[in-house]
Amino acid sequence: DADVTQTPRNRITKTGKRIMLECSQTKGHDRMYWYRQDPGLGLQLIYYSFDVKDINKGEISDGYSVSRQAQAKFSLSLESAIPNQTALYFCATSDASGGAINEQFFGPGTRLTVL
Amino acid sequence: QKEVEQDPGPLSVPEGAIVSLNCTYSNSAFQYFMWYRQYSRKGPELLMYTYSSGNKEDGRFTAQVDKSSKYISLFIRDSQPSDSATYLCAMSLQGAQKLVFGQGTRLTINP
């Protein structure tokens, strides 16, 4: 979905390096999310933010941090990357007024490999 | 034990077949049940959703929820090669803003 963009799309890095993944959206949504996807494990929530001053941990936040720089921007950082953080990372957004279903709109993903 | 279980497959069927995809869950408080479709090298997109129990039909797709068995299904009729994708079930509580996803089932429809 072109309304949610992620950079970079692919990244290879080494153990111990600091990595930042960026997400931008033009949908005007308040809510933003970071997930990781691993084969056989589905989507796991890392962090989520309901507005610029609201940051919440998800189910697998250890080893990650986030920054909500603006309504439209939500960054995910790996302070010291390790090989088991190799995964596909997705950013998603949702509209607070979007009804009970809370449809989430996903970016195209960032494939991260930690050697 | 995950809250939502889904067989990751892969599942491969011939074109025109009826496909059944399923998820089980353990939290009886889930009220909203969704199916997301994810094409290769893309993010997931919402395909269908249902509230509480019952069926919902949209073209060739039918979503079914059986709350008594904690079991949901997605049926695809007259399957097409363009239906080849990973299908993820997702669920949420009433008023909750987080989704709980299944592992996803990778489906291939062979021409």
Side-chain angles (χ1 to χ4, degrees), chain A residues 25-102:
Chain A
Q25 53 112 347
T26 58
K27 299 185 81 66
H29 290 169
D30 290 320
R31 296 174 174 172
M32 300 187 73
Y33 309 79
W34 275 105
Y35 292 91
R36 65 177 279 175
Q37 186 175 40
D38 299 274
L41 293 180
L43 286 165
Q44 297 175 277
L45 183 63
I46 307 173
Y47 271 95
Y48 61 103
S49 169
F50 285 172
D51 65 44
V52 175
K53 295 182 179 179
D54 176 75
I55 302 288
N56 303 282
K57 292 182 177 180
E59 54 189 304
I60 56 159
S61 58
D62 287 348
Y64 301 95
S65 62
V66 291
S67 173
R68 185 82 184 265
Q69 300 96 323
Q71 186 204 36
K73 296 184 181 296
F74 194 35
S75 299
L76 176 71
S77 293
L78 287 68
E79 296 301 326
S80 180
I82 56 177
N84 77 358
Q85 291 177 314
T86 293
L88 190 53
Y89 289 84
F90 286 102
C91 174
T93 73
S94 68
D95 185 356
S97 61
I101 192 64
N102 187 34

Side-chain angles (χ1 to χ4, degrees), chain A residues 5-21:
Chain A
T5 57
Q6 293 183 236
T7 55
R9 293 293 312 277
N10 292 280
R11 182 71 184 268
I12 300 173
T13 190
K14 295 182 178 179
T15 297
K17 293 291 187 181
R18 185 178 187 274
I19 295 296
M20 180 180 284
L21 309 182

Side-chain angles (χ1 to χ4, degrees), chain B residues 22-80:
Chain B
N22 311 292
C23 290
T24 58
Y25 62 94
S26 57
N27 189 344
S28 58
F30 284 138
Q31 292 282 2
Y32 295 92
F33 304 91
M34 290 142 273
W35 288 94
Y36 278 76
R37 180 173 60 193
Q38 182 180 15
Y39 290 116
S40 181
R41 288 185 287 277
K42 301 280 189 181
E45 293 180 304
L46 181 64
L47 178 63
M48 294 182 70
Y49 70 90
T50 54
Y51 170 69
S52 195
S53 283
N55 293 0
K56 186 172 184 177
E57 190 173 316
D58 184 0
R60 297 184 293 109
F61 298 87
T62 300
Q64 229 173 50
V65 175
D66 181 350
K67 293 195 77 178
S68 62
S69 302
K70 299 192 186 74
Y71 188 88
I72 71 169
S73 300
L74 177 70
F75 297 97
I76 307 174
R77 293 185 301 279
D78 187 24
S79 56
Q80 303 295 310

